[in-house]
Amino acid sequence: MRELQRKLSIARGERPAERLFKNANLINVLSGEVYRTNVAVDDGRVVGLGDYRGRQTIDLKGAYLAPSLIDGHFHVESSMLTTREFARAVVPHGTGAVVIDPHEYANVLGLDGIRYVLESSANLPVDFFVMLPSCVPATSLETSGARVTPEDLRLMIGDERIAGIGELMNFPGVYRGTESELAKIQAGKGKNIDGHAPGLRGRNLNAYVLAGVQSDHESTELAEAKEKLRLGMHVLLREGSTERNLATLVPLINPHNVMNCSFATDDKLAVDLVSEGHIDHSVRQAIKMGLPPVTALQIATISTARHYRLRNYGAIAPRYWADFIVFDNPRKLVVRQTYKKGILVAEDGEYLARQPALAPRPRSTMNLRCKAPDDFVVRAKGSSRIRVIEVVPRQIITRQVIETPRTERGRVAPDIERDILKLVVVERHHATGNVAVGFVRGFTLKHGALASTVAHDAHNVVVVGTNDADIALAIDELVRMQGGQVAVSNGKVRAELALPIAGLVSDRPLQEVIGRIADLNAAARAMGCRLAAPFMTLSFLSLSPIPALKLTDQGLIDTVRMRPISLFA
């Protein structure tokens, strides 16, 4: 009470504030205006706008002042950085808060993974709000490391840093009224319920919304996003490392629906976060595509904060946290300074905040049983043709194509000339011995293999290669590193990144991780790969809720009909 009374006296102008941000061109995302004013800050909060005194004065000399940016949906594990190093990457780009879904940690470690995220993300200059993973495992068509039940969700939903229930990937289960899926929604009543409904339209979409789902980040077509918006869903405009949907969806925005849209990155690599940017990149792109700067900033701040009920975030006004960005040109948005609760935490690209100690590393997660190369053999079946997964560049969806396979000694073999390579998935959590083999087009490798323990959503081992010997070597190397990503060729390791935290995240500093990712990509290019993000593309080839054809440890999956399907057509 006494502290509030003190702040009220500052707001009335009776005593000086702790800090005064003077001569700011304030971008007021609440009123949609830009005007010159001063901002008084005390104890990390804005106490007033206008004519105030401050014990410390920061003269912005007409620079633009806006709220820090907020990512509406992000899997922090996809950056392969600890939350501490993730903050180092994004704070210089103006990020002040992130709504995360630790779905990947949970698929490997269960509730221990969620607790690890909550512990490791405390006391950083980015606030992390957690959506509890709802689909662990994502489907019954893959073997994950853990299972999260509706009872587990109810156990954790009351934490103030929990913003709601994460994306409901089993969307057919939701619109069909499956009891288990409805129980997950019920567990999150009173908080937000995130959706995941790629391509869902018509009556089934109506049922999905009726069940209680409030948002979606999977729209890849304008008409699809418009239909979801019309039904009351909050539409997240996604722009990640491989999921590039912003250009398609920006025409959706008008002055009347801006509060029902947010920016999201979903999955973005460390190197892209640093070189391209985070939500600031989405803002710049949206402005280039015709959105007014104030509108783009509203989407990046107050719209997201209000949807996820992030109290006192997303605007510059009395009571709100003093989370600011300073920049010189609203049409280009190059962040010059980032403030967290009134404290300068980044300037001119340099991260200035103090780093807390790393949280203790979780248990080992590499438990696989594989007989290499025998488990990789596919016996040919006469003149039968095979189903091949075809990569769609810059998207996580795939196509199914039917091809006549190349054979050697009665076995289906990779066909480098036609870019039909072997794809192998090995279960790594329970040593079940599950090994699945398929074929994929799009990697254009001329030799060698690429392998990863990042393989959405169950995160088993996934390998693409031109020959069984290099595939086997790549798997052995992943076991040695206790998880990671590796490029091998002609029996030699060409590049690697160890990911000992759940097989998903590095414990190394940001710049070292970026350097090793660059080495991996360079090695992939030297082996013939032309994909912009080969390892991220590889990581989505096991994602059974995303159309159209994927490979999990349980075999080839028709992800449209959500059922196993034979390799042979």
Side-chain angles (χ1 to χ4, degrees):
M1 180 75 72
R2 188 167 296 175
E3 179 61 22
L4 177 58
Q5 290 172 335
R6 186 186 68 81
K7 289 178 182 175
L8 291 174
S9 71
I10 297 171
R12 294 193 301 267
E14 296 168 356
R15 63 174 72 183
E18 185 179 0
R19 291 181 182 84
L20 183 67
F21 291 81
K22 189 177 179 181
N23 295 319
N25 265 319
L26 176 66
I27 296 184
N28 193 317
V29 296
L30 300 170
S31 66
E33 299 174 280
V34 181
Y35 55 92
R36 183 69 67 93
T37 191
N38 306 316
V39 180
V41 172
D42 199 274
D43 193 29
R45 293 186 188 269
V46 176
V47 294
L49 307 180
D51 186 14
Y52 284 96
R53 295 173 293 135
R55 294 195 297 275
Q56 178 188 3
T57 298
I58 300 167
D59 192 347
L60 297 181
K61 300 179 180 178
Y64 290 86
L65 188 70
S68 293
L69 310 179
I70 306 173
D71 191 331
H73 177 77
F74 185 61
H75 302 282
V76 69
E77 310 95 309
S78 68
S79 70
M80 298 187 289
L81 300 168
T82 60
T83 52
R84 188 181 78 167
E85 294 303 308
F86 170 77
R88 182 183 295 279
V90 302
V91 166
H93 289 280
T95 302
V98 188
V99 180
I100 65 168
D101 181 349
H103 179 83
E104 326 306 340
Y105 275 124
N107 263 282
V108 177
L109 293 164
L111 294 186
D112 286 345
I114 302 172
R115 295 188 185 103
Y116 171 76
V117 170
L118 288 169
E119 179 183 359
S120 65
S121 62
N123 303 314
L124 291 169
V126 176
D127 290 310
F128 290 78
F129 296 94
V130 173
M131 302 295 287
L132 293 177
S134 65
C135 293
V136 179
T139 72
S140 61
L141 300 170
E142 53 192 323
T143 305
S144 66
R147 182 173 297 275
V148 175
T149 67
E151 290 72 26
D152 294 328
L153 299 177
R154 282 192 285 270
L155 179 69
M156 299 193 73
I157 195 70
D159 190 298
E160 64 179 7
R161 292 177 62 196
I162 303 296
I165 303 297
E167 52 184 311
L168 285 143
M169 293 185 169
N170 185 5
F171 59 90
V174 174
Y175 67 67
R176 290 171 183 157
T178 304
E179 188 172 328
S180 61
E181 299 309 305
L182 297 185
K184 296 170 186 176
I185 295 173
Q186 190 64 38
K189 287 295 185 182
K191 293 194 176 183
N192 282 64
I193 311 294
D194 267 354
H196 168 109
L200 189 60
R201 308 286 294 274
R203 293 174 181 173
N204 288 341
L205 178 60
N206 278 272
Y208 191 64
V209 175
L210 179 63
V213 178
Q214 298 168 328
S215 71
D216 182 78
H217 62 274
E218 292 288 346
S219 294
T220 58
E221 296 180 1
L222 182 61
E224 174 190 352
K226 185 175 291 187
E227 184 174 350
K228 290 171 179 174
L229 193 65
R230 286 172 173 172
L231 295 181
M233 299 188 90
H234 192 87
V235 173
L236 294 109
L237 314 172
R238 181 171 58 183
E239 188 77 1
S241 284
T242 56
E243 311 102 320
R244 303 277 182 170
N245 308 127
L246 192 60
T248 301
L249 301 183
V250 160
L252 177 74
I253 309 300
N254 64 51
H256 306 291
N257 64 24
V258 63
M259 295 308 293
N260 296 318
C261 300
S262 294
F263 292 123
T265 51
D266 199 2
D267 298 283
K268 198 157 190 178
L269 293 168
V271 63
D272 294 332
L273 289 170
V274 171
S275 62
E276 182 178 77
H278 189 209
I279 296 301
D280 61 321
H281 171 71
S282 295
V283 172
R284 283 191 296 271
Q285 293 299 105
I287 292 170
K288 286 181 182 178
M289 296 168 194
L291 279 192
V294 173
T295 301
L297 284 165
Q298 286 174 317
I299 295 171
T301 57
I302 191 63
S303 173
T304 310
R306 285 187 169 171
H307 174 72
Y308 285 102
R309 307 175 197 184
L310 311 183
R311 294 183 58 198
N312 304 323
Y313 288 84
I316 298 176
R319 192 187 66 252
Y320 284 78
W321 291 113
D323 295 354
F324 306 149
I325 56 173
V326 177
F327 51 98
D328 297 318
N329 186 340
R331 301 207 67 84
K332 293 184 178 179
L333 187 64
V334 176
V335 176
R336 178 152 58 85
Q337 293 178 324
T338 304
Y339 288 86
K340 188 66 177 175
K341 296 183 179 177
I343 305 296
L344 183 66
V345 290
E347 185 170 26
D348 295 330
E350 183 180 356
Y351 182 72
L352 303 176
R354 296 177 63 182
Q355 290 284 61
L358 278 174
R361 186 190 299 178
R363 59 175 171 80
S364 170
T365 59
M366 292 297 288
N367 306 292
L368 66 161
R369 182 161 52 88
C370 173
K371 296 177 182 178
D374 293 348
D375 285 344
F376 311 149
V377 172
V378 178
R379 300 289 177 184
K381 292 185 177 181
S383 60
S384 295
R385 298 194 296 167
I386 60 170
R387 293 180 170 90
V388 175
I389 300 170
E390 185 171 75
V391 170
V392 179
R394 303 174 77 86
Q395 300 292 341
I396 62 175
I397 60 172
T398 63
R399 301 188 187 97
Q400 177 183 171
V401 295
I402 308 297
E403 295 287 353
T404 300
R406 174 178 169 269
T407 60
E408 288 182 351
R409 301 188 301 277
R411 301 174 178 182
V412 179
D415 190 335
I416 296 172
E417 295 302 316
R418 291 190 294 154
D419 186 27
I420 300 175
L421 306 182
K422 186 171 282 189
L423 185 67
V424 175
V425 175
V426 182
E427 191 275 326
R428 72 162 169 112
H429 306 293
H430 310 291
T432 61
N434 288 358
V435 178
V437 181
F439 292 85
V440 63
R441 168 178 284 154
F443 282 85
T444 64
L445 294 179
K446 302 305 180 186
H447 50 88
L450 309 177
S452 176
T453 51
V454 179
H456 302 278
D457 276 329
H459 297 290
N460 291 304
V461 169
V462 61
V463 194
V464 59
T466 63
N467 65 88
D468 289 351
D470 280 338
I471 290 173
L473 174 60
I475 294 172
D476 288 343
E477 191 64 14
L478 293 181
V479 173
R480 185 193 66 77
M481 292 189 295
Q482 287 296 291
Q485 296 183 331
V486 63
V488 304
S489 177
N490 299 321
K492 294 183 179 179
V493 174
R494 304 300 176 179
E496 63 185 17
L497 169 63
L499 301 174
I501 302 175
L504 302 171
V505 168
S506 172
D507 58 358
R508 306 304 301 160
L510 170 64
Q511 290 302 326
E512 182 177 335
V513 174
I514 289 175
R516 290 188 176 270
I517 291 173
D519 291 343
L520 283 165
N521 290 334
R525 285 193 299 272
M527 292 156 58
C529 185
R530 295 194 295 268
L531 291 171
F535 284 88
M536 185 167 278
T537 301
L538 179 63
S539 75
F540 284 112
L541 294 184
S542 292
L543 185 52
S544 58
I546 297 290
L549 189 66
K550 297 295 172 76
L551 184 73
T552 77
D553 69 299
Q554 297 180 26
L556 203 60
I557 306 298
D558 176 345
T559 59
V560 176
R561 296 172 178 82
M562 294 301 288
R563 66 186 185 190
I565 192 170
S566 172
L567 172 66
F568 294 95

